Amino acid sequence: MVTKTLIIGACGQIGTELTEILREEKGNDNVIASDIREGSKDLTNAGPFEILDATNYDALEDVIVHYNIDEVYLMAAMLSGTAEKFPMKAWDLNMSTLFNALNLAKDGKINKLFWPSSIAVFGPTTPKENTPQQTIMEPSTVYGISKQTGERWCEYYHKRYGVDVRSIRYPGLISYKTAPGGGTTDYAIEIFHDAIEGNYYKSFLTEDTALPMMYMDDAIQATIQLMKTDHAKIQIRSSYNLGGISFTPKELAKAINKRIPQFEIDYEPDFRQAIADSWPSSIDDSQAQNDWQWKHTYDLDAMVDAMLKGIKSTK
Ligand code: AKB
């Protein structure tokens, strides 16, 4: 029997592509997309869609009961850059949606929950290179604090109540189908649009700021793979490190330059530089490799080719 899946934040950067792939796998009617706002017609017309404010427990419960939902992907969150501007709003959104979903799982209304964490759980005192799964975590951003706290609660709900919650610490995610919103790693997406439109990009991070990144196809594969993994194999109930590729704005610009020789870049760091400086530059994901055989596919060149081709195809 095919189970029913609910995606919260389905119109966002990850949600859009996750909904598309899960609908291909499970059939359109078995994947209920939801968001606080209307998304693209492609997404809302292809299968069931609900306007849903997941900070509202009753509204979330109604949708879950109405569609007899088995598993939930909770992809709604306020990202690092925006969260620094609206700290309380970010805390409220990021935590209340998680608690609502965890409590519904605890009460047996859903069987499985995916919740995204981030490399933002790490902070300035964390080892920067090849950051291990278990290490010092003293995040200095509002977003990072909310994600670290969320991880603790996920593990607690699993240990105390047996909730089947699974999570990944996403690196910066790079995609062209839906614009990201308010992240520090967003430069690595903007740069492609500006390179194609005007051969020029002004980076808000310095040329040598290395950050862990991943092409969206890999991130979606990882997410679905983790959710399909046998319960007994999942050793980590806080959140799994996921590595991907690591590069600086200068290295990315050079890779774009090879394909668009006229492309030029300048650097004018803003408040997001401090956020990036507090994060790791590369991640050790051996625990995910061991527990659920994770392996990424896209390297820097493959990602750059896919982005340029993808953006051009939407013009
Ligand atoms: C952000 O930059 O805030 C996100 C993230 C790394 O979680 N992309």
Side-chain angles (χ1 to χ4, degrees):
M1 197 191 72
V2 187
T3 53
K4 299 254 186 196
T5 297
L6 172 67
I7 301 177
I8 300 168
C11 302
Q13 192 203 5
I14 311 175
T16 304
E17 297 196 35
L18 182 65
T19 306
E20 215 176 277
I21 301 289
L22 284 176
R23 281 185 169 161
E24 270 167 30
E25 273 192 13
K26 301 182 62 154
N28 287 356
D29 289 344
N30 295 314
V31 179
I32 291 76
S34 74
D35 206 297
I36 197 149
R37 61 190 159 88
E38 287 277 346
S40 76
K41 286 279 164 269
D42 285 351
L43 186 132
T44 49
N45 291 344
F49 177 78
E50 294 283 338
I51 292 284
L52 173 65
D53 174 1
T55 65
N56 180 331
Y57 181 92
D58 294 337
L60 179 57
E61 185 181 24
D62 282 351
V63 171
I64 284 170
V65 171
H66 177 75
Y67 287 98
N68 197 13
I69 298 293
D70 181 67
E71 58 175 22
V72 170
Y73 290 79
L74 168 49
M75 311 313 277
M78 195 182 286
L79 299 186
S80 56
T82 316
E84 289 307 299
K85 294 183 187 152
F86 307 104
M88 286 302 111
K89 234 173 153 175
W91 176 258
D92 189 40
L93 172 69
N94 294 356
M95 299 316 297
S96 65
T97 49
L98 175 60
F99 276 121
N100 287 346
L102 283 173
N103 283 324
L104 284 160
K106 167 177 157 271
D107 293 343
K109 303 263 164 63
I110 51 173
N111 289 321
K112 225 190 252 183
L113 171 63
F114 179 85
W115 174 78
S117 186
S118 160
I119 53 160
V121 293
F122 300 116
T125 52
T126 302
K128 252 190 161 355
E129 302 291 338
N130 233 6
T131 303
Q133 175 71 42
Q134 269 112 9
T135 186
I136 301 166
M137 292 163 87
E138 295 180 322
S140 53
T141 64
V142 173
Y143 175 63
I145 295 168
S146 74
K147 289 296 177 187
Q148 190 201 26
T149 310
E151 285 192 7
R152 297 289 89 229
W153 280 108
C154 286
E155 195 182 85
Y156 182 86
Y157 269 67
H158 175 72
K159 286 196 171 144
R160 176 94 200 261
Y161 307 118
V163 166
D164 189 356
V165 55
R166 303 167 182 215
S167 176
I168 285 171
R169 290 173 183 153
Y170 289 127
L173 299 183
I174 301 172
S175 64
Y176 65 89
K177 291 190 182 163
T178 311
T184 301
T185 56
D186 292 2
Y187 93 82
I189 299 171
E190 291 172 5
I191 192 171
F192 287 102
H193 290 275
D194 287 12
I196 288 172
E197 272 152 34
N199 298 320
Y200 175 75
Y201 181 63
K202 190 186 278 177
S203 169
F204 58 77
L205 298 182
T206 59
E207 60 177 25
D208 53 0
T209 308
L211 287 170
M213 301 275 188
M214 181 173 279
Y215 189 54
M216 186 60 86
D217 287 25
D218 274 338
I220 302 287
Q221 279 318 311
T223 306
I224 294 174
Q225 200 178 320
L226 174 62
M227 285 296 265
K228 283 185 179 161
T229 298
D230 179 10
H231 187 279
K233 292 199 173 142
I234 299 178
Q235 302 296 316
I236 302 293
R237 292 294 182 160
S238 51
S239 191
Y240 277 98
N241 270 11
L242 215 62
I245 28 182
S246 176
F247 55 80
T248 63
K250 191 176 174 186
E251 286 161 347
L252 179 56
K254 202 170 150 203
I256 294 174
N257 220 248
K258 270 204 257 165
R259 285 130 176 119
I260 308 178
Q262 321 83 287
F263 175 66
E264 286 180 19
I265 186 164
D266 280 325
Y267 303 92
E268 200 174 284
D270 68 13
F271 72 100
R272 288 167 283 191
Q273 184 64 44
I275 301 176
D277 286 343
S278 76
W279 289 353
S281 40
S282 60
I283 298 283
D284 173 3
D285 61 11
S286 47
Q287 181 96 38
Q289 291 175 35
N290 293 335
D291 290 1
W292 41 282
Q293 287 66 58
W294 166 244
K295 203 169 174 310
H296 72 270
T297 305
Y298 284 80
D299 61 12
L300 179 60
D301 281 319
M303 181 276 285
V304 170
D305 286 334
M307 281 298 284
L308 292 174
K309 192 168 161 218
I311 294 172
K312 282 179 191 158
S313 74
T314 61
K315 298 277 172 212

